[in-house]
Amino acid sequence: MTDSKRTATLTIDGRTLELPIHSPTMGPDVVDITKLYAQGDVFTHDPGFTSTSACESQITFIDGDKGQLLHRGYPIDQLAEKSHYLEVCYLLLYGELPGADQLEDFENRVTNHTMVHEQMMNFFRGFRRDAHPMAIMNGVVGAMSAFYHDSTDINDPWQREVASIRMIAKVPTIAAYAFKYSMGQPFVYPRNDLDYASNFLRMCFAVPAEDYEVNPILARAMDRIFTLHADHEQNASTSTVRLAGSSGANPFACIAAGIACLWGPAHGGANQACLEMLEEIGSVDRIPEFIKRAKDKNDPFRLMGFGHRVYKNFDPRAVVMKKSADEVLALLGVEDNPKLQVAKELERIALEDEYFASKKLFPNVDFYSGIILEAMGFPTSMFTPIFAVSRTVGWIAQWKEMVNEGNVKIGRPRQLYTGATTRDYVDVESR
Ligand code: ACO
């Protein structure tokens, strides 16, 4: 951040305040209002944080109008094409692409932590057998702080590092176990001779009676899904992680908070909601009816997988994901799947429709990721857990960045109070 020496002038009831302006390396300037209340006795009001920067960060940059997403300066399409998930994890966590030795060391460190504490199996078995895998993940990741006491001290850099590696290594195992448990199948232990994505697919689809031969094209597609979802600057779940972390909560608790936020259909739950919507539409001839509903102000229905708070041109992740979807569907020979037919036609009609064009509503990454995951054999209930696996590194990188800065200020928004003014308590007999 640089101080531009420029200021913004705010006049309130004849009093004038000069507010400093800071310039980022990319993106719009930022008006610093930290002293506004002390000097002006007013708050700002911005529900949904549409114009508010809540932190300084060097990890990810998004220009929604240009459809640009950069991690540490590198465009997401280059990373998705040329890199792979664990290398992107390293980049997000440590700021630079690793050298060959650094990458090998990082991959070994992650690989050495893929198993979960054996006692945690009992924890899984405590859930109802029909529990949503996201509910299980939320509970089990939160419970990691009860199993890994030696990495909960946020003031110790070594413990912060161990906790980070543990979570990146174990969340795929936890997600796969949640899946296995919900199907009544035995847990499949991780295999450390496989890469991150292949290991995850095997833990999900192998059974003791029959091993699972990992198809390299599917493993690559899985790795891409992880890579494309790895971080997305200050989105709702990441901001939740930062807010939870600002109180000094341990890292496992903070990531569990992020998982809880991600679950909502306006955020990570959209991929599940999108597939359910395609199922509900059912056939191409019913699309106009749903388009009509999406445009109707009195109908809460929205086209799931369309629109984004930040991207108002296109979602660069969706471009890569669409390509990946075509590859996977061709490989699996399921191009004539009815949901896919509905998806393709819906995409075509919505892109041509004046309502969607004028509001800049385009298919987002979740529109395509659900289609790929379903073709791979995942039920819709696993879509958001897979998103959580991918995003864990982003949450951790952002949490670490905040804690590393030191002197973390607890996040504590203000409010525009519109409730009752002061009044005296009345005894129940007199009410
Ligand atoms: N279908 C129909 N209309 C829509 C949609 C949609 N999917 N999304 C937005 N709109 C309309 C709104 O009704 C609103 O219209 P208005 O101005 O006439 O009132 C306008 O477009 C702006 O919408 P907002 O809700 O104000 O936009 P916001 O930036 O707050 O919301 C969001 C973004 C939550 C993603 C929204 O587009 C949405 O609900 N999409 C569907 C859910 C989804 O796909 N979420 C995934 C996000 S990506 C991710 O998490 C990886």
Side-chain angles (χ1 to χ4, degrees):
M1 173 181 83
T2 54
D3 291 332
S4 66
K5 307 267 185 274
R6 286 183 300 137
T7 55
T9 307
L10 179 68
T11 306
I12 309 164
D13 297 335
R15 280 174 305 138
T16 299
L17 298 173
E18 294 297 329
L19 302 167
I21 296 180
H22 306 304
S23 294
T25 48
M26 294 176 86
D29 285 347
V30 170
V31 179
D32 184 341
I33 55 158
T34 43
K35 303 243 163 45
L36 184 62
Y37 177 52
Q39 294 173 356
D41 202 25
V42 290
F43 298 147
T44 53
H45 184 59
D46 184 18
F49 304 108
T50 51
S51 308
T52 298
S53 140
C55 64
E56 195 179 325
S57 182
Q58 301 179 348
I59 301 174
T60 293
F61 174 78
I62 300 173
D63 184 328
D65 293 327
K66 285 193 197 146
Q68 186 181 43
L69 166 61
L70 309 177
H71 292 320
R72 305 282 189 186
Y74 296 102
I76 189 64
D77 50 322
Q78 290 184 24
L79 293 173
E81 284 300 325
K82 298 179 182 170
S83 182
H84 58 91
Y85 182 66
L86 281 185
E87 187 175 66
V88 172
C89 288
Y90 186 101
L91 176 69
L92 291 169
L93 289 169
Y94 307 113
E96 295 296 336
L97 286 169
D101 290 352
Q102 290 168 314
L103 181 59
E104 193 185 335
D105 172 65
F106 179 69
E107 288 181 339
N108 287 339
R109 279 193 290 143
V110 171
T111 305
N112 283 333
H113 283 281
T114 50
M115 287 172 68
V116 297
H117 198 293
E118 199 61 17
Q119 276 182 8
M120 276 189 126
M121 307 299 187
N122 302 330
F123 202 84
F124 277 91
R125 292 190 178 102
F127 286 98
R128 265 176 69 134
R129 68 175 172 77
D130 55 354
H132 194 291
M134 209 45 192
I136 300 182
M137 269 196 92
N138 201 190
V140 175
V141 172
M144 282 177 80
S145 50
F147 285 87
Y148 302 102
H149 292 158
D150 59 345
S151 52
T152 53
D153 179 358
I154 66 157
N155 298 313
D156 177 345
W158 184 83
Q159 293 200 29
R160 295 205 293 270
E161 178 66 16
V162 174
S164 306
I165 297 290
R166 274 186 172 142
M167 278 188 277
I168 293 165
K170 291 182 205 304
V171 281
T173 314
I174 292 171
Y177 283 10
F179 179 38
K180 286 296 192 192
Y181 185 75
S182 68
M183 285 191 302
Q185 289 184 6
F187 301 130
V188 174
Y189 285 91
R191 272 236 329 248
N192 289 351
D193 57 328
L194 295 176
D195 63 73
Y196 196 85
S198 303
N199 177 46
F200 178 66
L201 287 172
R202 188 182 163 275
M203 285 192 293
C204 288
F205 295 118
V207 286
E210 202 176 312
D211 204 357
Y212 175 77
E213 197 66 39
V214 183
N215 181 309
I217 296 181
L218 295 190
R220 180 76 189 120
M222 190 75 246
D223 189 86
R224 246 187 221 151
I225 289 179
F226 288 151
T227 302
L228 291 173
H229 289 87
D231 189 48
H232 213 228
E233 52 118 302
Q234 310 311 322
N235 58 85
S237 56
T238 302
S239 298
T240 302
V241 169
R242 279 188 180 257
L243 197 55
S246 76
S247 74
N250 76 64
F252 304 110
C254 295
I255 303 308
I259 293 175
C261 178
L262 185 76
W263 198 356
H267 191 8
N271 48 17
Q272 171 169 354
C274 176
L275 247 279
E276 285 166 359
M277 177 193 75
L278 295 178
E279 200 158 78
E280 194 191 343
I281 297 176
S283 58
V284 168
D285 55 303
R286 291 191 65 208
I287 292 176
E289 175 194 329
F290 283 83
I291 296 265
K292 197 168 156 227
R293 283 186 60 195
K295 294 181 193 174
D296 182 354
K297 280 231 164 293
N298 301 316
D299 189 330
F301 175 78
R302 284 188 166 198
L303 277 192
M304 285 299 163
F306 278 77
H308 198 276
R309 168 59 65 79
V310 180
Y311 296 120
K312 299 298 176 197
N313 186 344
F314 66 95
D315 178 344
R317 303 166 302 169
V319 177
V320 183
M321 198 66 95
K322 185 176 178 6
K323 222 173 108 196
S324 208
D326 290 340
E327 269 171 38
V328 169
L329 299 170
L331 173 82
L332 299 174
V334 290
E335 292 111 313
D336 54 357
N337 169 314
K339 262 181 254 170
L340 187 66
Q341 299 300 329
V342 172
K344 282 192 166 160
E345 189 59 9
L346 185 65
E347 181 196 19
R348 191 188 66 75
I349 294 177
L351 287 177
E352 284 173 2
D353 192 289
E354 162 56 21
Y355 172 91
F356 291 90
S358 65
K359 292 191 186 306
K360 302 188 173 179
L361 299 169
F362 300 87
N364 58 47
V365 66
D366 286 335
F367 185 71
Y368 302 106
S369 65
I371 294 169
I372 303 181
L373 291 172
E374 194 197 49
M376 281 178 172
F378 286 105
T380 49
S381 60
M382 273 304 286
F383 294 1
T384 319
I386 289 169
F387 191 162
V389 170
S390 330
R391 184 56 57 84
T392 294
V393 69
W395 292 327
I396 291 172
Q398 302 268 352
W399 171 82
K400 274 181 101 179
E401 179 177 65
M402 180 182 75
V403 178
N404 287 349
E405 268 170 20
N407 296 324
V408 179
K409 211 172 173 57
I410 188 165
R412 201 334 187 157
R414 300 296 193 154
Q415 64 175 3
L416 169 62
Y417 178 70
T418 52
T421 52
T422 313
R423 47 184 168 165
D424 288 324
Y425 178 82
V426 179
D427 287 334
V428 69
E429 298 79 25
S430 316
R431 278 176 231 156

